[in-house]
Amino acid sequence: MYNTNEGRQVYNETLESVRRSFPQYIRELEGTADGAQVEFHKLFLLHMDDITPKAVAGRNSVDQPIGCTSICVNQPGQEIIGHNEDTLPEVMNFFYLVSAHIVCDEPQGKYRVKEEHFTSLCYAGHLPGYTMGYNHHGLIFTINTISADTLYSGKTPRHFITRALLTADTFVQAQHIIRDTGVGAADACSINMTFLRQEGPRVFHNIEMGPSENNESHMDVKTASTGEYLSHCNKYLRLPVPEVTGLIIDSSVARMAVLKKLGEPKNRDDVIKMLGDDSHKVHPVYRARRDDPIKTIATGIFDCIARTWTLYSDNPKNNEPLFVLPLVLRD
């Protein structure tokens, strides 16, 4: 579609919009393209994965049960965010972590950022941010893809909004970034988050973000206080935005039904049990069968009390983690 007049127009409008808001992230992609000896437009098109086919031809890029599963538990002594990262089988064993400390002499982009320090799980060719990670201000977040039915050219792709989210130092700033006032999101996702250094008792948030036909993302926030929990897959639970039909919805509905059947999680072990559940015959929560069109490539467990990030590359119910990282915050 990039080689059609309509596709090139959607590409150019979106690129120019992002360049105005986040020129520093365009430079990141240009640097990646140069280093990898890949044409820049191919990397930018990765960040428009659903936007181009929807805006040009009104269809999905693929009809697969794409998406992830996130669970937040907020109990005394148990403050956990768990996340399954699910994607195409070709990505198996090709993910990596980027830990970056970026210091600039001049403020960068629409939010005038001079310093960033974060660690994020990444896919090759993609900006950090659209999976799971944390920053030195104590923000932890995980992402669930949502496939809205109408997407927009000339808006901010979700990958750039979540890349900018890695700079947020407060929940107010995080909401400001997701709302993207003046432009608005081109596509959709949900974000599960908490701030380790927030005042008062621990709270977790799930923010459903919808594409903007005007100049601001649609947004709905649900909060889990002490004694509560959140779970989310790849379907809107609250925001009244029309979605596509197909396998991503079927899979999300099935996984949410399994999570509900397993009951309310109370601790880390419950989160691991739920994220590792493979009981559903068609759309399991943990996807590792030979014929699964989408695979769970990694499971992350963020412990807000121990301040650790545990990452698994196999089912966490019966495998040891790859590693346990400390969550290193600003002094």
Side-chain angles (χ1 to χ4, degrees):
M1 290 186 181
Y2 173 77
N3 291 317
T4 67
N5 290 335
E6 296 87 352
R8 190 66 61 90
Q9 180 179 346
V10 168
Y11 174 91
N12 289 337
E13 288 175 352
T14 305
L15 175 59
E16 288 311 307
S17 176
V18 175
R19 198 186 296 276
R20 286 191 297 270
S21 294
F22 304 113
Q24 72 273 38
Y25 302 147
I26 295 298
R27 290 197 299 274
E28 281 188 19
L29 273 188
E30 289 172 342
T32 302
D34 289 346
Q37 298 183 338
V38 173
E39 294 171 279
F40 169 81
H41 77 271
K42 293 183 178 179
L43 296 193
F44 194 75
L45 285 170
L46 286 178
H47 296 74
M48 297 177 62
D49 52 355
D50 285 340
I51 300 167
T52 304
K54 266 291 181 181
V56 174
R59 62 175 174 83
N60 302 346
S61 54
V62 293
D63 182 19
Q64 295 286 11
I66 290 172
C68 304
T69 304
S70 294
I71 302 170
C72 303
V73 169
N74 195 359
Q75 294 287 340
Q78 298 283 328
E79 300 170 1
I80 304 293
I81 298 182
H83 179 75
N84 278 355
E85 185 65 29
D86 299 344
T87 189
L88 298 170
E90 291 82 357
V91 182
M92 290 286 291
N93 299 317
F94 287 102
F95 65 88
Y96 52 92
L97 297 183
V98 167
S99 186
H101 190 188
I102 303 166
V103 180
C104 302
D105 293 332
E106 300 294 331
Q108 302 291 306
K110 68 189 291 184
Y111 302 118
R112 314 299 290 163
V113 177
K114 292 189 70 173
E115 182 181 13
E116 300 184 61
H117 200 172
F118 61 81
T119 302
S120 174
L121 186 143
C122 294
Y123 300 141
H126 286 254
L127 291 171
Y130 197 70
T131 52
M132 53 178 149
Y134 80 99
N135 71 15
H136 69 162
H137 300 297
L139 167 63
I140 301 170
F141 69 89
T142 69
I143 302 297
N144 311 112
T145 291
I146 296 176
S147 292
D149 194 42
T150 302
L151 308 184
Y152 296 97
S153 173
K155 302 291 186 178
T156 307
R158 55 198 175 198
H159 293 77
F160 287 90
I161 288 177
T162 59
R163 172 65 186 86
L165 196 58
L166 286 168
T167 71
D169 57 359
T170 65
F171 183 55
V172 171
Q173 176 66 1
Q175 292 178 88
H176 185 51
I177 291 169
I178 294 166
R179 194 171 285 114
D180 196 38
T181 301
V183 183
D187 42 7
C189 68
S190 86
I191 304 107
N192 314 277
M193 66 167 65
T194 192
F195 276 88
L196 292 178
R197 286 179 164 168
Q198 65 200 21
E199 295 182 5
R202 168 74 48 219
V203 290
F204 294 96
H205 308 280
N206 171 260
I207 300 180
E208 294 185 339
M209 182 187 80
S212 166
E213 69 274 20
N214 298 311
N215 295 314
E216 190 172 277
S217 309
H218 292 288
M219 199 170 79
D220 182 279
V221 182
K222 183 176 182 180
T223 298
S225 301
T226 303
E228 299 176 330
Y229 79 102
L230 297 168
S231 58
H232 211 282
C233 293
N234 308 103
K235 183 183 185 306
Y236 284 122
L237 301 179
R238 305 176 305 276
L239 202 62
V241 173
E243 298 174 85
V244 302
T245 58
L247 291 173
I248 187 171
I249 301 299
D250 298 343
S251 172
S252 187
V253 169
R255 282 178 282 138
M256 288 297 290
V258 169
L259 297 182
K260 184 176 181 180
K261 182 179 178 181
L262 291 172
E264 180 178 344
K266 297 291 188 182
N267 52 45
R268 181 192 186 109
D269 289 343
D270 288 345
V271 172
I272 288 175
K273 177 183 177 182
M274 294 168 82
L275 291 177
D277 188 275
D278 56 1
S279 61
H280 196 281
K281 294 182 179 180
V282 181
H283 299 296
V285 176
Y286 192 92
R287 300 188 260 196
R289 298 169 188 159
R290 185 182 299 273
D291 59 347
D292 282 339
I294 297 297
K295 304 288 189 184
T296 301
I297 65 165
T299 298
I301 304 292
F302 293 92
D303 188 321
C304 299
I305 295 177
R307 293 192 174 182
T308 58
W309 179 7
T310 303
L311 197 74
Y312 300 81
S313 62
D314 296 291
N315 194 317
K317 283 200 309 182
N318 42 37
N319 288 279
E320 293 298 312
L322 284 176
F323 51 75
V324 180
L325 291 178
L327 300 178
V328 180
L329 307 187
R330 193 175 189 137
D331 290 340

